[in-house]
Amino acid sequence: MTTILVVEDEEVVRETLAYNLQQEGYAVLTTGDGSESLKVVREQRPDLIVLDIMLPGMDGLSVCRALRRDKEIAYIPIIMLTARGTQGDKMVGLDSGADDYITKPFGLGEFLARIRAVLRRADGQSTSSREVRTGDITADLMSRRVHRGNQEVQLSQKEFDLLVELMRNQGAVLSRDLILTRVWGYDFCGDSRTVDVHVRWLREKLEDDPSNPQHIITVRGVGYRFEAAE
Ligand code: CA
């Protein structure tokens, strides 16, 4: 059974979300406290965490960062609830390592759709973990070889890791900081230009016309998005 942890201090919101998730057939854990949520995650290992950004004491962003720093539980997807719809909030959410965010107030239909989308993405990663495929590009995770059609593409280790990260999140915008964290690790000392340089190299190897990329798309002021080109 799929278990979802809802972390939200406003009781009405928390109970409403919990009730509707249960109606959808999910098992639901709830807490209104940030530090308590870390304990629950470590002990219960939910499949997904819905995390409000505004919490008393330890706020949602700090919880998110703490979860991502803990290797044992860093794989669990997080959907952040943000209070306002400003670009700043969204960026802060993605930079802290959230998989998705949803802005209050939101409809239940949208909320449940996001839940399903994030769970589907996470499931795809664990069940078909040998290979990541999108469009005509295939990355074999065991041999760490990449093919475009029948043609093998030679990539460095970091180019490979970067490509897989982008492909796994096809269609979603990844910020440079998030890419740095996931591909280079938290203790990496370089800056986000490292990402740009590797994207350039990847494009030279993968794109028909590197100056007009169809796969690795620049999202100005934010980061990159992978698309399976036609
Ligand atoms: Ca709250």
Side-chain angles (χ1 to χ4, degrees):
M1 194 174 202
T2 304
T3 303
I4 299 176
L5 170 64
V6 177
V7 187
E8 163 68 280
D9 60 311
E10 284 166 75
E11 195 183 345
V12 176
V13 179
R14 184 175 68 232
E15 295 310 319
T16 305
L17 296 181
Y19 173 78
N20 283 280
L21 288 169
Q22 279 161 354
Q23 293 298 106
E24 293 292 305
Y26 301 112
V28 182
L29 304 163
T30 59
T31 173
D33 183 278
S35 352
E36 168 76 16
S37 72
L38 289 175
K39 229 176 80 193
V40 176
V41 173
R42 291 195 177 106
E43 284 166 8
Q44 311 273 336
R45 304 287 165 99
D47 298 286
L48 173 74
I49 303 160
V50 175
L51 180 60
D52 188 39
I53 208 163
M54 300 286 283
L55 296 168
M58 192 174 186
D59 67 79
L61 289 174
S62 310
V63 172
C64 189
R65 291 197 189 95
L67 290 168
R68 286 297 183 244
R69 270 196 301 271
D70 186 335
K71 276 203 163 66
E72 299 269 293
I73 49 178
Y75 69 93
I76 302 175
I78 299 170
I79 297 180
M80 202 85 114
L81 305 181
T82 69
R84 297 170 302 275
T86 67
Q87 191 67 17
D89 281 349
K90 291 176 182 177
M91 284 319 303
V92 169
L94 289 177
D95 281 346
S96 67
D99 294 83
D100 200 359
Y101 51 82
I102 184 163
T103 307
K104 289 179 178 175
F106 51 82
L108 270 172
E110 185 191 0
F111 174 72
L112 294 171
R114 298 289 190 91
I115 297 272
R116 283 192 291 270
V118 169
L119 283 172
R120 208 179 307 125
R121 222 150 65 200
D123 191 44
Q125 285 179 21
S126 57
T127 52
S128 58
S129 57
R130 237 190 84 86
E131 195 176 271
V132 181
R133 182 194 296 261
T134 164
D136 61 345
I137 300 174
T138 309
D140 186 313
L141 301 180
M142 306 305 280
S143 65
R144 297 178 64 86
R145 287 163 67 170
V146 171
H147 283 81
R148 190 174 165 202
N150 294 322
Q151 202 75 30
E152 180 163 3
V153 183
Q154 300 288 342
L155 298 182
S156 72
Q157 296 293 324
K158 280 296 175 233
E159 287 165 3
F160 180 88
D161 293 338
L162 172 60
L163 177 65
V164 168
E165 187 61 33
L166 288 166
M167 286 172 70
R168 276 181 163 158
N169 294 283
Q170 185 188 325
V173 183
L174 300 183
S175 73
R176 288 176 175 81
D177 285 345
L178 182 64
I179 293 172
L180 266 184
T181 302
R182 291 199 183 159
V183 176
W184 276 266
Y186 285 97
D187 42 8
F188 180 71
C189 294
D191 63 36
S192 58
R193 272 170 302 183
T194 307
V195 176
D196 300 333
V197 170
H198 280 77
V199 163
R200 199 173 72 225
W201 291 339
L202 264 184
R203 281 174 173 160
E204 281 164 10
K205 294 177 177 183
L206 284 171
E207 303 280 1
D208 289 331
D209 176 4
S211 63
N212 179 28
Q214 303 297 307
H215 289 294
I216 306 171
I217 312 296
T218 302
V219 181
R220 277 188 62 183
V222 185
Y224 297 99
R225 186 182 73 228
F226 190 91
E227 293 292 348
E230 266 89 86

